[in-house]
Amino acid sequence: MFLKRIILFMTVFTAAAAHKAVAETFSYSDERFADLQMLRYQVTGFEQLTLRQKKLIYYLSEAALCGRDILWDQNGRYNLRIRHLLEGIYTSYRGDRSTAEWQAFVTYLKRVWFSNGIHHHYGSDKFQPEFSEQFLREAVRQSDLSLLTWADGQTSDALCAELFPVIFNPAVMPKRVNQADGEDLILTSAENYYGEGVSQAEAEEFYSKMKNAAPDPQRPVMFGMNSRLVKEQGKIRERVWRCGGLYGQAIDRIVFWLQKARDVAESDKQQAVIEKLIDVYRTGDLKAFDEYSILWVANTGDDIDFTNYFTESYGDPLGMKASWEAIANFKDKKATERTNKLSSNAQWFEDHSPVDARFRKDRVKGISAKVIVAAILGGDLYPSTAIGINLPNSNWVRAEHGSKSVTIGNLTDAYNKAAHGNGFQAEFVIDASTQKLIDDYGDYCDDLHTDLHECLGHGSGKLLPGVDADSLKAYGSTIEEGRADLFALYYLADPKLVELGLTPSADAYKSQFYTYLMNGLMTQLVRIEPGKDIEEAHMRNRSFISHWVLENGRGKGAGGSDVVALVKRDGKTFVQINDYPALRNLFGSLLAEVQRIKSEGDFDAARRLVETFGVKVDSTLHREVLERYKALNIAPYKGFINPRYEAVTDSDGEITDVRVSYGEHYDQQMLRYSRDYSFLPLVND
Ligand code: ZN
């Protein structure tokens, strides 16, 4: 009851605000459900864009929303029908909305919205409703049936018979992406990239034949990435996602908006990028897609940029078929100045690094990374999203033409703001003076650490002649991430950064040193289940760096103190840093050693370092951290509500301004998207 009243109130409020056209004020969201929290992000700097740029963002944002249903259908063949059913009930249910079962129904619908389907967006397991089948059957009867059905004469009984097993039976489509070794990964996964009855063996055979017949084996297209593989009359074939093909109804709309975007492009180069993308959508030709990627990666001069296509393949158990996603963004010029400053001083950093001169680069090229402001998120980037993107994915295109690396500044900012005041730091930071350092410099030094890591760290150093780049094998990415982190940590404390105007004070780095070790020694364990080891490469690298300095700093601090210590206060464990300058020297020594390991390809030393310091978890400390974290009741996953763009037109229909507003609530946004951007039939078999 309470929930409904708020929704009604907000509807009225938003409508009024839109009419008055003063909807530019930004407010944060704190909506929570299940293990999720919805945030808003601010499109800082949008008002300063030119009218032409605003139009471009507007058209690209429309294009970014038109593919929504494609992703839903890719994630599972019943998703669109289930969403239709649930939304119909949500908007027309005549029964009591104050019951616990109704609340459970609303939570379930929001989870389905968040995951773009019925499986968890991260774990990919089907979530079980916390209301009964009887409740839903009764809810169907007490709702407007014409809103729930999709075929003429469909009865409520037929509707329930078709969808209820998918919703309620845990054995039906239990996992979206199954990766259990030894099972038929396609037949046991619920994703919709492979049609009924296609087996893993059949799919693998189909694509290995295709690969073997490739005309240019040095430059292969990304086979299979833009189609569903189906079996028809016993024959395996692809149904390509393109105009006139599968999902053509939505793709036509995407193309419609891309054509408008093309006409207001910022440069000829950008125009050519959009033109090529339209061509790819029309033909589904993967060679054209590679050509598009090459044009896109070379287009770095414009303020506005975007992606809008089938991109990442995490949703396919075979890792070939790409989910549809889109983002439109523009350069954060101020923050990009920061990365430019680092890139243009790359040689200085290389020459002064604490590694052996034999492992340094004579001539280093800073990677040009930029910081962007996200203007809209669509498809697989919505509402759960990445904060950094590095594309394209084609290996040969990356090797020959490079890649674009971006950090999405306004999303990071929104995450940071949400993290403040959630009690996390109050629980885990040792004392008020350290907390003050983090309050003053924490967010900024986090960003700077990321910049140093991306722009300089990864690009620094060299392999000795004859050393195989893959010699560290399974430890390669952990060592590489550790190397970039250490480079960043070491230089964060360098006076050079103050001199370049990149750090506000000579003490600022301490905030990052503290939060880094707090994370590596303790708080990152909240993502590990009890009894498990650390597996993910970034988590392993933070762990090995933190534990190495803990061990190697014993008795080496000022006055014989430990440089870093784990201390107990009122029965709780805290990280205590006793000597910051000495800690910097330890980071420098470890950087020198890690660079040696990399440059010489010393597999044994890499294994020893990672296995000794990076993998194992102290079970007592782990239990303590989990308990303290649980008491804070923080949602482990977060997603974003998009801003809303409205074109203001004159009497001739010409756009004279584009306004951005933020007042929409998550359910309002979802219902609006379903109303305005549903271009696909509910059944796409
Ligand atoms: Zn990295």
Side-chain angles (χ1 to χ4, degrees):
M1 202 58 167
F2 180 67
L3 186 77
K4 188 183 171 224
R5 223 181 278 136
I6 291 208
I7 290 163
L8 283 177
F9 170 73
M10 291 315 299
T11 311
V12 174
F13 172 79
T14 313
H19 281 300
K20 275 191 279 166
V22 287
E24 273 109 25
T25 44
F26 180 75
S27 61
Y28 289 94
S29 156
D30 56 3
E31 184 172 353
R32 291 264 316 250
F33 47 93
D35 53 355
L36 307 164
Q37 181 180 13
M38 299 307 301
L39 308 176
R40 292 201 183 99
Y41 59 97
Q42 190 163 14
V43 191
T44 316
F46 182 78
E47 269 75 36
Q48 282 70 52
L49 299 177
T50 65
L51 176 58
R52 191 179 166 100
Q53 288 177 318
K54 285 182 184 175
K55 282 188 197 171
L56 180 55
I57 290 281
Y58 175 70
Y59 296 142
L60 290 172
S61 75
E62 288 294 320
L65 297 175
C66 288
R68 176 183 187 235
D69 284 359
I70 297 176
L71 177 74
W72 280 75
D73 195 66
Q74 288 180 316
N75 281 345
R77 59 196 295 251
Y78 293 101
N79 284 337
L80 289 173
R81 277 167 273 181
I82 289 172
R83 188 185 78 197
H84 189 69
L85 169 76
L86 300 177
E87 287 179 352
I89 293 171
Y90 186 68
T91 51
S92 71
Y93 181 59
R94 293 179 297 270
D96 183 357
R97 293 188 180 221
S98 66
T99 64
E101 286 216 300
W102 176 258
Q103 291 299 327
F105 169 81
V106 172
T107 298
Y108 179 76
L109 170 57
K110 288 184 176 175
R111 297 185 75 184
V112 170
W113 276 333
F114 191 98
S115 293
N116 299 292
I118 58 172
H119 299 89
H120 194 276
H121 74 287
Y122 192 78
S124 111
D125 293 310
K126 186 166 87 176
F127 30 80
Q128 281 304 118
E130 289 178 6
F131 51 85
S132 65
E133 269 193 66
Q134 291 86 315
F135 167 82
L136 193 61
R137 198 175 298 277
E138 190 52 31
V140 168
R141 283 198 198 105
Q142 295 200 45
S143 301
D144 179 352
L145 192 64
S146 70
L147 293 175
L148 317 183
T149 52
W150 58 86
D152 282 344
Q154 193 173 31
T155 64
S156 68
D157 282 347
L159 184 78
C160 298
E162 181 169 358
L163 296 184
F164 278 25
V166 184
I167 295 174
F168 291 103
N169 185 344
V172 175
M173 304 175 94
K175 215 163 166 68
R176 180 163 53 82
V177 189
N178 178 29
Q179 307 217 280
D181 196 26
E183 296 178 17
D184 186 309
L185 301 184
I186 292 182
L187 293 177
T188 58
S189 293
E191 42 64 28
N192 196 18
Y193 294 112
Y194 301 89
E196 291 285 277
V198 177
S199 72
Q200 183 178 350
E202 286 169 323
E204 285 172 346
E205 193 202 334
F206 181 88
Y207 283 110
S208 74
K209 262 190 201 155
M210 207 178 236
K211 279 173 199 167
N212 290 336
D216 185 355
Q218 301 302 311
R219 295 181 181 81
V221 299
M222 293 199 285
F223 292 104
M225 71 167 265
N226 66 348
S227 64
R228 183 192 290 166
L229 196 68
V230 297
K231 196 186 232 176
E232 286 171 349
Q233 282 116 35
K235 262 187 81 79
I236 304 284
R237 70 175 197 94
E238 284 186 329
R239 289 183 67 196
V240 177
W241 306 320
R242 59 172 169 80
C243 296
L246 191 54
Y247 303 147
Q249 304 95 326
I251 291 172
D252 285 345
R253 297 302 299 169
I254 296 170
V255 166
F256 171 84
W257 290 108
L258 286 178
Q259 284 170 324
K260 288 188 172 291
R262 175 195 57 198
D263 295 342
V264 293
E266 291 184 276
S267 66
D268 292 350
K269 260 181 137 176
Q270 190 176 55
Q271 198 159 44
V273 171
I274 301 173
E275 189 64 51
K276 185 55 93 173
L277 181 60
I278 292 170
D279 180 40
V280 176
Y281 270 128
R282 282 196 175 130
T283 60
D285 178 8
L286 288 176
K287 198 163 175 318
F289 177 71
D290 282 350
E291 290 160 13
Y292 156 77
S293 297
I294 292 165
L295 291 173
W296 178 80
V297 86
N299 179 220
T300 54
D302 295 309
D303 289 344
I304 292 169
D305 205 353
F306 73 103
T307 63
N308 183 314
Y309 200 63
F310 304 96
T311 308
E312 302 290 357
S313 55
Y314 307 113
D316 171 10
L318 302 187
M320 271 185 294
K321 308 215 164 274
S323 61
W324 186 87
E325 70 176 39
I327 180 174
N329 63 76
F330 55 91
K331 223 179 256 178
D332 179 339
K333 289 193 181 150
K334 198 150 181 287
T336 301
E337 260 172 44
R338 202 174 65 207
T339 57
N340 286 344
K341 255 185 203 170
L342 293 178
S343 294
S344 56
N345 286 282
Q347 193 64 51
W348 186 92
F349 287 97
E350 184 74 0
D351 294 345
H352 292 79
S353 101
V355 313
D356 192 310
R358 291 180 300 141
F359 309 141
R360 289 193 205 128
K361 270 190 181 136
D362 302 328
R363 289 177 75 193
V364 62
K365 209 172 153 279
I367 297 161
S368 71
K370 66 178 174 178
V371 183
I372 60 169
V373 181
I376 198 87
L377 303 167
D380 219 358
L381 288 171
Y382 172 87
S384 169
T385 192
I387 52 168
I389 303 178
N390 193 318
L391 289 173
N393 283 331
S394 163
N395 284 322
W396 78 263
V397 176
R398 293 173 72 87
E400 293 184 19
H401 301 273
S403 64
K404 273 193 218 171
S405 172
V406 301
T407 313
I408 313 176
N410 59 333
L411 300 187
T412 315
D413 193 50
Y415 278 125
N416 287 342
K417 293 219 164 77
H420 294 165
N422 68 5
F424 182 77
Q425 290 184 343
E427 176 62 35
F428 289 104
V429 172
I430 187 165
D431 54 29
S433 62
T434 310
Q435 185 61 57
K436 171 113 177 57
L437 272 173
I438 296 168
D439 290 343
D440 290 349
Y441 307 118
D443 291 349
Y444 182 78
C445 283
D446 251 356
D447 289 347
L448 197 55
H449 179 269
T450 307
D451 296 340
L452 283 160
H453 174 115
E454 299 290 349
C455 303
L456 300 179
H458 280 306
S460 74
K462 66 175 180 194
L463 300 183
L464 289 184
V467 171
D468 178 357
D470 292 328
S471 33
L472 303 182
K473 299 184 194 127
Y475 300 101
S477 50
T478 297
I479 290 291
E480 176 55 22
E481 292 306 324
R483 197 175 71 87
D485 264 0
L486 285 163
F487 195 96
L489 288 165
Y490 178 79
Y491 274 118
L492 259 180
D494 201 288
K496 182 76 175 175
L497 292 197
V498 184
E499 185 197 314
L500 288 173
L502 286 168
T503 28
S505 100
D507 276 343
Y509 76 92
K510 293 178 182 172
S511 67
Q512 180 68 16
F513 278 22
Y514 191 86
T515 52
Y516 192 94
L517 292 189
M518 180 176 93
N519 191 28
L521 293 171
M522 295 179 60
T523 53
Q524 72 166 352
L525 296 177
V526 303
R527 281 188 273 156
I528 304 284
E529 284 174 42
K532 296 241 165 95
D533 287 343
I534 302 175
E535 288 181 26
E536 200 273 330
H538 293 81
M539 290 181 73
R540 281 187 166 190
N541 98 62
R542 290 181 209 120
S543 177
F544 91 67
I545 290 172
S546 305
H547 287 96
W548 190 93
V549 297
L550 179 70
E551 287 307 317
N552 287 275
R554 293 205 194 278
K556 304 267 176 59
S561 65
D562 295 340
V563 175
V564 181
L566 286 172
V567 299
K568 288 265 188 192
R569 301 240 168 124
D570 300 331
K572 291 177 176 178
T573 310
F574 293 92
V575 173
Q576 178 172 297
I577 299 180
N578 294 313
D579 189 336
Y580 280 94
L583 178 55
R584 187 198 181 207
N585 289 336
L586 287 172
F587 285 142
S589 310
L590 185 55
L591 172 59
E593 170 63 2
V594 166
Q595 183 62 58
R596 183 198 67 74
I597 290 172
K598 170 112 187 173
S599 292
E600 295 179 353
D602 187 345
F603 174 81
D604 290 339
R607 181 167 63 186
R608 221 176 306 122
L609 184 61
V610 176
E611 293 293 343
T612 309
F613 297 106
V615 178
K616 291 287 172 229
V617 176
D618 173 340
S619 58
T620 312
L621 180 61
H622 191 193
R623 210 173 311 120
E624 179 196 322
V625 169
L626 287 175
E627 271 167 26
R628 287 163 68 185
Y629 183 74
K630 191 157 175 254
L632 296 171
N633 191 28
I634 295 171
Y637 303 102
K638 297 179 172 51
F640 288 101
I641 300 171
N642 272 325
R644 183 175 187 175
Y645 296 90
E646 280 167 298
V648 182
T649 50
D650 64 15
S651 51
D652 301 326
E654 273 295 306
I655 295 179
T656 55
D657 195 11
V658 177
R659 295 218 181 96
V660 58
S661 61
Y662 303 97
E664 216 168 22
H665 281 242
Y666 189 45
D667 62 335
Q668 296 169 330
Q669 184 152 88
M670 287 296 85
L671 294 173
R672 177 167 68 87
Y673 285 2
S674 292
R675 187 190 69 214
D676 294 348
Y677 301 99
S678 288
F679 302 115
L680 295 185
L682 297 174
V683 182
N684 293 276
D685 290 343

